[in-house]
Amino acid sequence: MPTAADALKAHAELLALAREHSLLSSCADLLEWDGETFMPRGGVGHRAEQLAALAGVLHEKASAPRVGRLIEKAWPLGVDRGPDSPEAANLRELKRRHERAARLPRRLIEERARVAAVAQQAWAQAREERDFAVFRPWLEKIVELVRAEAAAIAPSLDPYDALLDLYEPGMTGAEISRLIAEIGPPLRTLLAAHGPFGKRRGRSGGAGPGAGVLEREFPTDRQKLFVQAVAASLGFDLEQGRLDVGQHPACIAIGPGDTRLTARYAERQFASGFFAVLHEVGHGLYDQGMDPADAGTPMHDAPSLGMHESQARLWENLVGRSRGFWKHFFPRLRNVFHEALARTKPEAFLAAVNRVQPTLNRAEADEVTYNLHVAIRFDLERSMVRGDLAAADLPEAWRAAYAAALGIEPSDDAEGCLQDGHWAAGLFGYFPTYLLGNVYAAQIYAAAARDLGDPDAAFARGDFSVLLGWLREKVYRPGRRFSAAELLRRVTGEAPAPAAMLAALQARYRPD
Amino acid sequence: MPTAADALKAHAELLALAREHSLLSSCADLLEWDGETFMPRGGVGHRAEQLAALAGVLHEKASAPRVGRLIEKAWPLGVDRGPDSPEAANLRELKRRHERAARLPRRLIEERARVAAVAQQAWAQAREERDFAVFRPWLEKIVELVRAEAAAIAPSLDPYDALLDLYEPGMTGAEISRLIAEIGPPLRTLLAAHGPFGKRRGRSGGAGPGAGVLEREFPTDRQKLFVQAVAASLGFDLEQGRLDVGQHPACIAIGPGDTRLTARYAERQFASGFFAVLHEVGHGLYDQGMDPADAGTPMHDAPSLGMHESQARLWENLVGRSRGFWKHFFPRLRNVFHEALARTKPEAFLAAVNRVQPTLNRAEADEVTYNLHVAIRFDLERSMVRGDLAAADLPEAWRAAYAAALGIEPSDDAEGCLQDGHWAAGLFGYFPTYLLGNVYAAQIYAAAARDLGDPDAAFARGDFSVLLGWLREKVYRPGRRFSAAELLRRVTGEAPAPAAMLAALQARYRPD
């Protein structure tokens, strides 16, 4: 019978091991960041091998039988301290991680890391050359590997659910399907009313005021300086992080004091660069807002990717497309890009950043169509994982899905199924977290507005610190102390539900 | 009794373990590079922990008893294949590495990595603030740790010899002392004759022609472009590497296809930036020239740091300060920096880059005084390691040594004992490899000239490929197949000896 002292000792050893795991895992994060930003072309092969070796060591450590025994010994401590205690939270996550690792053969882990690293290069090349054939064999390999992974982790589950649970613990494909069914009709109604063929073109504006504003000349060097200044205004600490040009936008948290954002800029696509950075800033504010005392422990993370994503979407959209935000920033933007914006009215600019328009690109989609993009990916990836859709048939299935959902089709696969790098990275079951992010974001933002009053007035004064302070206290500092659903309940009083999101969209796009 | 098949099998497993070790170790290389270049200030603490965790894992793997047993089993294979076989070379190095690791407690390894990472930041701060006191406590800690390391590795050896052997296998402090005694008088004679107070100011120039040429305005952005072009001309492949601005000049080989150089530029100090890059390019050419088939095995490295350094010094000085080199590059340089050089004669420029002048700075020292700088560091670090010199007394001892050897004294410790980061990084016993590098470089260069004829004519045509091809074949591709002394013997027919270096200097500085 283990004593209380045994449990304490086991818990302390587990935390030391967790810290080591987190440090080694953050080495892989730096390798990823470097691959995004500065790695020379010739380094690809070696980088893949480095990531595989690290993945192997991490797996070896996480799956060690000793860890299982320590968790068993320490478990009574979590029970004793109560389900909301840090000890219980850490033990829950350690158990989850250990069980998952113990079920996976090391060979599979290393193979997956190696293949993903090379597949991502093949994907980038395929996208550049607009040639799906370059990526197809790698996609086949990846699907095969994630299927093997799913079967190993949870042989009794639907394989897609096994993967989804990696990113959003406890979530299932069936629940995502229900959610999509619930939001689909109202989103389509909004699209019909406010999209380019809709009757209402006030603020949401099809070809109305502001059309083309965002496609004027915005020199990229000035975009970089401007978004850096905006990031700092929102509260992102650039002494404790960086903002670089990378292959695609990302937030990579290396460790406490080192949170790195990447972005891409194109001269005539101001919105795509700008809102992508706001998105990553949102992720970055979450990472910078966690309790440093938890660093290295399982607590020092968001409870789920959906919850993390919620903060990216909150800052990108609920803050970044608001009237108050642009009341503050538009005059500054116009000073920086005077050639492009000298004669643009603030209202027209606000309309442009809120335009509803079916497009082929998820990352740059407006808030109304965004979730429809995610729904398409969810259907396709679930079919691939279940073996109902062959990789070779993906381009055709993609085109059909876009035609059905948005009435448009990509002219090639670069605009189509090659636009996102997730599958190349082996991330299946990840896309639904974007949808959940939107849902959680709207619920949390509504709760903030209830507590703080309409944040718009503060934004108009350039004050984002009241909102950030509230989010830090309620959402960021607790880290992974609670599950996503429990955290949401504590912050908003609600279970996950799309009503707040739909209400916010309906309010934003109400007839002027 | 192990069979031949057992030995083969053990050897194969050892190589797989060596590859893993090399991959994990190259993750630490990337962390170091990032620390040099892009890491935000807030990331320092976490970086130290990351490096310590990796060092711990590497040590755990290298010291595993299983490795010792495998080496024992595989050993007959090396014997069977002969001492010059790759198998023997790999087994020798693996044995050396395993024995060293097995003698070191993991706690010490991790502590050393952690302390070195923080000490380097303290050193940088101390240098910036010109305040030795900021660094002193860290230097004390570091000296204590390397002494503990030396005692653990080789309790019967002089502690300094134990450390020196890490970088230059088989070398001793006594041999370095002898070498210094041998080269000191002729170098001092050269200095007396050609230094600023000497009688001969022809090419070596004191205040003669070319004085001040290198201190004119050389805009740093153009310096970067120019050295990048020079690096490419010499044969450094920028698709398989990078050249960035870093805290100090370095060559960090991440892996095959990924060799990274860092450099610093100052507008009015052209020579310090330029020759530092040439130096790192030399290291980089060595790394890029090794046999890719050996990658991940112990063979895929230089036999010693002195040998690696020899190639840095060869390209920096024997090539980079030669008449032929500047015959080719000076007109190009003048095109880029026309304001600074429009009225400068080629001869005056050549004199300027070959000026002999006692200065306070090792890295930028001319070829005559350079080894005198190294001799000072050797004496001081040996005294610290042996416990004869306290860290607190270093600044005073430094000033006295410079006064005695070069007749000058630093005005503060930033110019003095804080100028090099080696000790902060825990590198004691490393400095003598610079001296050995000069010695080996001259011997190897003389052998190349015997084989190829005077390389100057080819340089004048911009052709560096013949020399590079020769070096690749003779020196770079063999990697660590032979010891430094054996490689030198095969390439030059000689044992390590300073005659070639002294002869080359005497030839360069002969009366015009």
Side-chain angles (χ1 to χ4, degrees), chain A residues 20 23 26 30-31 33-34 38-43 46 50 60-61 106 239 241-242 254 256-258 260, chain B residues 20 26 30-31 33-34 38-43 46 50 60-61 106 239 241-242 254 256-258 260:
Chain A
E20 186 192 37
L23 287 166
S26 76
L30 187 76
L31 297 177
W33 173 83
D34 181 71
F38 295 111
M39 184 180 72
R41 193 180 277 266
H46 183 70
Q50 285 179 301
E60 179 184 300
K61 299 216 167 246
R106 174 168 178 166
E239 289 268 298
R242 296 184 52 88
I254 309 292
D258 194 354
R260 305 197 185 185
Chain B
E20 186 192 37
S26 76
L30 187 76
L31 297 177
W33 173 83
D34 181 71
F38 295 111
M39 184 181 72
R41 192 179 277 266
H46 183 71
Q50 285 178 301
E60 179 184 301
K61 300 216 166 243
R106 174 167 179 166
E239 289 268 297
R242 297 185 52 89
I254 309 292
D258 193 355
R260 306 197 184 185

Side-chain angles (χ1 to χ4, degrees), chain A residues 444-497:
Chain A
I444 290 169
Y445 197 68
R450 283 195 297 273
D451 274 17
L452 305 173
D454 182 5
D456 230 44
F459 295 170
R461 292 192 309 272
D463 181 355
F464 302 92
S465 64
V466 174
L467 176 64
L468 178 58
W470 188 92
L471 289 166
R472 278 192 180 144
E473 184 203 327
K474 305 274 183 183
V475 183
Y476 305 164
R477 280 187 76 86
R480 187 149 40 190
R481 184 149 178 177
F482 313 109
S483 71
E486 172 63 13
L487 181 66
L488 199 67
R489 198 191 58 71
R490 286 174 174 254
V491 176
T492 69
E494 301 167 4

Side-chain angles (χ1 to χ4, degrees), chain A residues 140-338:
Chain A
E140 282 164 359
K141 233 187 243 301
I142 290 262
V143 171
E144 199 183 300
L145 285 168
V146 298
R147 281 166 57 90
E149 190 180 344
I153 299 172
S156 64
L157 280 190
D158 173 279
Y160 187 78
D161 286 354
L163 297 172
L164 177 53
D165 181 82
L166 295 174
Y167 309 113
E168 197 69 21
M171 187 52 63
T172 64
E175 278 186 63
I176 299 294
S177 285
R178 267 197 299 281
L179 197 53
I180 288 172
E182 195 172 338
I183 61 175
L187 290 180
R188 275 188 286 274
T189 304
L190 272 168
L191 177 59
H194 298 275
F197 312 111
K199 297 195 182 99
R200 294 185 176 126
R201 298 200 176 156
R203 186 166 160 197
S204 63
V213 164
L214 301 167
E215 287 73 44
R216 295 183 189 150
E217 250 179 66
F218 294 85
T220 53
D221 52 341
R222 284 190 254 157
Q223 283 190 52
K224 283 183 215 172
L225 292 173
F226 183 73
V227 296
Q228 186 128 339
V230 172
S233 297
L234 298 185
F236 183 79
D237 184 347
L238 285 155
E239 289 268 298
Q240 313 269 319
R242 296 184 52 88
L243 171 53
D244 292 284
V245 171
Q247 284 180 43
H248 61 262
C251 169
I252 303 179
I254 309 292
D258 194 354
T259 303
R260 305 197 185 185
L261 315 181
T262 59
R264 297 177 76 170
Y265 307 95
E267 190 161 272
R268 290 184 170 274
Q269 296 167 37
F270 174 76
S272 72
F274 182 80
F275 288 102
V277 175
L278 281 198
H279 182 98
E280 304 309 334
V281 165
H283 281 304
L285 290 173
Y286 201 149
D287 288 329
Q288 290 191 335
M290 286 181 201
D291 191 341
D294 291 337
T297 72
M299 288 261 289
H300 198 259
D301 202 348
S304 74
L305 284 196
M307 189 53 74
H308 216 305
E309 179 71 7
S310 78
Q311 297 311 297
R313 300 294 287 175
L314 186 151
W315 288 96
E316 175 191 0
N317 294 324
L318 303 176
V319 176
R321 297 183 202 265
S322 70
R323 187 174 292 271
F325 181 93
W326 286 111
K327 184 140 191 188
H328 176 68
F329 280 116
F330 183 70
R332 287 165 175 77
L333 185 74
R334 193 156 53 181
N335 279 343
V336 176
F337 300 103
H338 37 89

Side-chain angles (χ1 to χ4, degrees), chain A residues 363-498:
Chain A
E364 295 168 18
D366 58 80
E367 292 173 87
V368 173
T369 56
Y370 187 90
N371 292 315
L372 304 173
H373 289 268
V374 175
I376 291 173
R377 284 153 182 73
F378 164 70
D379 278 339
L380 294 172
E381 71 178 11
R382 193 153 68 145
S383 299
M384 282 192 278
V385 168
R386 288 172 159 183
D388 299 337
L389 175 66
D393 298 330
L394 176 64
E396 190 41 46
W398 183 284
R399 279 190 288 276
Y402 266 81
L406 290 164
I408 50 177
E409 277 189 52
S411 62
D412 61 35
D413 295 329
E415 283 184 0
C417 65
L418 291 172
Q419 73 181 251
D420 287 310
H422 301 61
W423 295 333
L427 301 173
F428 283 75
Y430 188 112
F431 277 115
T433 66
Y434 290 150
L435 195 156
L436 295 170
N438 288 331
V439 168
Y440 301 160
Q443 291 182 274
I444 290 169
Y445 197 68
R450 283 195 297 273
D451 274 17
L452 305 173
D454 182 5
D456 230 44
F459 295 170
R461 292 192 309 272
D463 181 355
F464 302 92
S465 64
V466 174
L467 176 64
L468 178 58
W470 188 92
L471 289 166
R472 278 192 180 144
E473 184 203 327
K474 305 274 183 183
V475 183
Y476 305 164
R477 280 187 76 86
R480 187 149 40 190
R481 184 149 178 177
F482 313 109
S483 71
E486 172 63 13
L487 181 66
L488 199 67
R489 198 191 58 71
R490 286 174 174 254
V491 176
T492 69
E494 301 167 4

Side-chain angles (χ1 to χ4, degrees), chain B residues 301-377:
Chain B
D301 202 349
S304 75
L305 284 196
M307 189 53 73
H308 216 304
E309 179 71 7
S310 78
Q311 297 311 297
R313 299 294 287 174
L314 186 150
W315 288 96
E316 175 191 0
N317 293 324
L318 303 177
V319 176
R321 296 183 202 265
S322 69
R323 187 174 290 273
F325 181 93
W326 287 111
K327 185 139 189 190
H328 176 67
F329 280 116
F330 183 70
R332 288 164 175 76
L333 185 75
R334 193 156 54 182
N335 279 344
V336 175
F337 301 102
H338 37 90
E339 300 90 339
L341 299 175
R343 288 185 297 176
T344 302
K345 296 231 168 61
E347 277 306 308
F349 187 83
L350 188 64
V353 300
N354 281 288
R355 173 167 305 117
V356 176
Q357 173 122 33
T359 63
L360 294 163
N361 190 289
R362 172 192 61 84
E364 296 168 18
D366 58 79
E367 290 173 88
V368 173
T369 56
Y370 186 92
N371 292 315
L372 304 173
H373 289 268
V374 174
I376 292 173
R377 284 153 183 72

